[in-house]
Amino acid sequence: AKETGRNNFQFYERGLNQRAMDRLQLEMELRVALEHGQFSLHYQPQVCLTEGRVTGMEALLRWNHPDLGAVAPARFIDLAEETGLIVPIGYWALRSACLQNKRWQDAGLPKFHVAVNVSARQFADKNLAQCITSILQETGLEPRYLELELTESLVMDNVDHTVNVLSALKDIGVRVSIDDFGTGYSSLSYLKRFPIDMLKIDRSFVRDILHDPDDAAIVRAIISLAHSLRMGVIAEGVEDARQLDYLRKNRCNQIQGYYISRPVPADDIDAFLRAGNAV
Ligand code: C2E
Ligand code: CA
Ligand code: CA
Ligand code: CA
């Protein structure tokens, strides 16, 4: 038994070391990726249900790894966050999304905002507002065509900090939405005080909206909360026409999801927009 124990221990140790090595390897590769331009953004349209037109595009990070191919954010975002690499990666994403939106506008497309995800580390960064100001200046994008997606848990984590950052962002004139809404817990009194443009209903509630009465009730509650607070509301993860109909009937303003389009490279967005996709 003793021996087995020791073997198990060694095995466990080796396992731990292996995991530590994997992390180091991944961290090193993330640094290389940033230096060598291996990141790109995919874009997913956000559609207004009453106007039937595209009002926004969410920018979603992709890592084009030389051996592994396209790596989804789920596989590296957490480590990027832990190591702090998410901060430079996040600024890269902000700059490139703003630049892309300016290009779409210069090409004469109807205007829409680009929505960029902001991580906890980036939200804590003292230079956030200043960096956004310079990115907007450099790229020439008007502030109202940039939206920042902040998760519910992030904004509720340290409300004093949130109040300060949100007021700085409001002065700049960018839009703010609360991502994954419903998965954290919001203080309604703060929600009322924060200058927020949109609530974004988390995909986990939208998925079973037609079969799970609880999820449907939560979705309706979030929609009416948003309306009472004079905020817009968007549902993410809409995959079929029946979900869309339900959301429209219940006065959800906007939707985003595979039913409209998967996230695609910027070049494919041009074709998508020219095809004129009314809902
Ligand atoms: P998120 O912000 O909640 O983004 C929505 C995720 O749902 C995206 O996954 C998107 O591809 C996926 N999705 C969209 N529509 C549908 C649908 O109809 N059905 C299903 N099943 N999925 C759908 P993705 O692109 O893998 O991104 C995952 C997460 O990684 C994002 O979740 C976000 O938290 C994070 N992320 C992505 N890009 C960035 C970034 O530039 N910065 C930061 N900090 N985080 C990012
Ligand atoms: Ca998001
Ligand atoms: Ca989300
Ligand atoms: Ca989500």
Side-chain angles (χ1 to χ4, degrees):
K2 222 174 192 175
E3 215 166 309
T4 322
R6 201 189 299 136
N7 284 341
N8 277 344
F9 178 70
Q10 278 179 355
F11 181 71
Y12 186 53
E13 274 254 283
R14 210 179 293 132
L16 274 181
N17 283 334
Q18 188 55 50
R19 263 180 287 159
M21 290 296 288
D22 288 347
R23 278 173 55 98
L24 273 175
Q25 173 79 17
L26 182 64
E27 183 181 343
M28 198 186 70
E29 288 190 82
L30 279 175
R31 287 181 198 281
V32 172
L34 192 57
E35 278 166 32
H36 292 232
Q38 293 173 4
F39 291 112
S40 66
L41 292 176
H42 280 189
Y43 293 90
Q44 189 178 36
Q46 303 177 329
V47 171
C48 173
L49 289 177
T50 46
E51 299 168 61
R53 67 176 194 95
V54 171
T55 50
M57 288 288 168
E58 182 175 1
L60 294 155
L61 200 59
R62 297 292 180 264
W63 177 10
N64 310 302
H65 190 283
D67 307 324
L68 304 174
V71 182
R75 297 198 31 211
F76 62 88
I77 286 281
D78 286 351
L79 187 66
E81 181 84 40
E82 280 170 44
T83 55
L85 280 169
I86 194 67
V87 175
I89 295 172
Y91 286 127
W92 175 86
L94 267 169
R95 182 173 288 105
S96 93
C98 288
L99 197 60
Q100 181 58 59
N101 201 15
K102 185 69 167 72
R103 279 202 207 111
W104 279 322
Q105 294 186 352
D106 290 348
L109 294 168
K111 293 183 178 182
F112 46 77
H113 68 251
V114 70
V116 181
N117 294 285
V118 174
S119 75
R121 283 281 191 115
Q122 219 180 345
F123 193 68
D125 183 22
K126 288 189 172 49
N127 299 317
L128 180 67
Q130 184 50 53
C131 279
I132 287 172
T133 304
S134 12
I135 287 170
L136 291 168
Q137 265 160 12
E138 277 169 41
T139 58
L141 185 71
E142 286 173 70
R144 62 188 161 129
Y145 294 116
L146 172 62
E147 180 169 290
L148 304 177
E149 293 199 1
L150 311 171
T151 64
E152 183 182 25
S153 38
L154 188 158
V155 296
M156 291 298 162
D157 180 47
N158 178 348
V159 288
D160 292 335
H161 178 70
T162 298
V163 168
N164 289 333
V165 178
L166 289 187
S167 80
L169 294 176
K170 197 177 174 61
D171 289 345
I172 297 172
V174 298
R175 296 165 48 90
V176 172
S177 67
I178 305 299
D179 203 357
D180 300 346
F181 194 81
T183 59
Y185 50 97
S186 278
S187 152
L188 297 185
S189 56
Y190 280 111
L191 203 57
K192 191 180 84 175
R193 278 179 46 196
F194 293 158
I196 289 162
D197 299 282
M198 300 278 284
L199 295 184
K200 201 165 180 186
I201 306 171
D202 191 65
R203 176 155 60 87
S204 59
F205 303 113
V206 175
R207 192 175 44 222
D208 298 324
I209 202 174
L210 300 164
H211 308 109
D212 185 330
D214 294 337
D215 284 346
I218 291 169
V219 167
R220 292 196 309 271
I222 297 174
I223 293 170
S224 87
L225 176 66
H227 292 330
S228 328
L229 297 173
R230 287 176 299 280
M231 296 172 184
V233 59
I234 179 167
E236 68 176 5
V238 175
E239 295 187 353
D240 62 51
R242 294 178 59 216
Q243 292 170 331
L244 183 153
D245 288 340
Y246 185 90
L247 290 158
R248 199 204 306 261
K249 278 199 194 84
N250 286 281
R251 301 185 179 284
C252 186
N253 302 130
Q254 300 184 18
I255 58 157
Q256 178 182 346
Y258 294 171
Y259 182 66
I260 303 294
S261 168
R262 287 185 175 255
V264 293
D267 288 351
D268 298 358
I269 288 294
D270 296 43
F272 172 87
L273 291 169
R274 267 192 291 273
N277 293 270
V279 286

